[in-house]
Amino acid sequence: YKNVAYHLGRIASIELNHRSLDVAWKGSQVCIKIVPIQDETPKMYGRHFDENDTLVSKEDDRIDELNRT
């Protein structure tokens, strides 16, 4: 159960105090909406991960391409 990496999906939105954010910093307590990847079983809070797990984002290769231009 622990030390397992799950691909939860894509971040649809981030909020702090009911206000939208573009980014959340380490240590921030924010609300995130994660939408599952098409054709994959959604991962469930409490079953696959919980508040004790660390969530990290996977960097998208397209971001590197945009930064190079």
Side-chain angles (χ1 to χ4, degrees):
Y1 178 71
K2 297 299 174 187
N3 296 325
V4 175
Y6 291 108
H7 190 208
L8 300 178
R10 296 198 177 272
I11 296 175
S13 62
I14 306 171
E15 289 187 2
L16 177 63
N17 298 325
H18 302 287
R19 290 188 167 167
S20 290
L21 299 174
D22 292 326
V23 65
W25 301 104
K26 182 178 180 179
S28 300
Q29 292 186 14
V30 296
C31 177
I32 58 172
K33 178 180 180 180
I34 302 172
V35 292
I37 297 171
Q38 188 174 2
D39 299 327
E40 282 197 21
T41 304
K43 307 305 182 275
M44 294 174 43
Y45 178 80
R47 175 175 270 177
H48 298 104
F49 67 100
D50 61 25
E51 72 275 0
N52 297 310
D53 293 306
T54 301
L55 298 181
V56 296
S57 64
K58 179 181 174 186
E59 187 172 324
D60 193 326
D61 292 336
R62 293 174 291 177
I63 292 172
D64 286 338
E65 290 176 21
L66 290 173
N67 287 337
R68 280 186 247 147
T69 58

